[in-house]
Amino acid sequence: MLNPSYPIKTPRLLLRPFTMDDLDELYSFHSRPDVARYVYWDARTRDETRSALEKKIGYAVLSDDNDTLNMAVELRETGTLIGDVSLFWRSREHRQGEIGFVFHPAYHGRGFATEASQELLRLAFADLDLHRVYGRCDNRNTASSRVMERLGMRREAHLVENEVFKGEWSDEVIYAMLRREWTPQA
């Protein structure tokens, strides 16, 4: 079981459970087609964002296989919600997890996704004692690939046209890291 002590602080960010007060800021980027381009949902309406947020609020603890830990990422300096990160517990038996992240484009290119995802890896390896954590993305999503590479994850697979994604064949890449390869951040 993983029940983090919130908020989780990094040098520039706070990771915390979502609340209904996050609706406007979450909608500001979940409603954008460019944000939804490489995720499994389309740009969301306000009502769709509200429904997604209601689910996210319930994802603050990992108790068993297939549970999701979903956290809001806000700037410590301003309190602005800039992203949404997830840790999925894929298998208790095999000690496997998956990470995911979505950030407002106004905050791309500044290392925020990497900084927040380092905390996901810490939670996965140090607190949940996972053996392996992976991340997946569309091969065209070079920004997400770069984040996983900066985290020290290795590219394990390139699945060619493995699924029809939003109406077209898409390649998927998989990055992973083992616990023994993880280096805690100072």
Side-chain angles (χ1 to χ4, degrees), residues 1-118:
M1 177 169 191
L2 175 62
N3 187 1
S5 179
Y6 294 111
I8 298 169
K9 296 178 182 180
T10 72
R12 300 178 296 165
L13 306 172
L14 286 178
L15 282 63
R16 58 166 177 77
F18 278 96
T19 71
M20 285 310 294
D21 291 338
D22 295 319
L23 179 59
D24 290 337
E25 288 178 303
L26 190 65
Y27 176 65
S28 76
F29 61 100
H30 276 216
S31 63
R32 295 175 57 129
D34 57 336
V35 169
R37 174 65 182 106
Y38 298 117
V39 294
Y40 287 104
W41 37 267
D42 291 321
R44 292 179 166 151
T45 65
R46 187 173 177 77
D47 286 341
E48 290 168 336
T49 304
R50 180 181 288 108
S51 294
L53 178 57
E54 288 168 354
K55 290 177 185 169
K56 289 174 184 303
I57 290 169
Y59 296 154
V61 174
L62 289 175
S63 299
D64 209 349
D65 286 7
N66 298 310
D67 280 355
T68 302
L69 180 70
N70 204 218
M71 294 180 287
V73 180
E74 69 178 47
L75 289 175
R76 286 179 70 166
E77 188 174 295
T78 64
T80 304
L81 177 71
I82 64 167
D84 173 357
V85 295
S86 302
L87 174 60
F88 306 92
W89 194 359
R90 295 299 187 204
S91 173
R92 177 188 291 269
E93 177 183 3
H94 302 291
R95 296 174 40 215
Q96 304 275 322
E98 179 180 359
I99 61 170
F101 42 85
V102 178
F103 279 76
H104 193 297
Y107 300 93
H108 286 183
R110 300 189 212 173
F112 294 128
T114 303
E115 188 172 325
S117 296
Q118 286 169 338

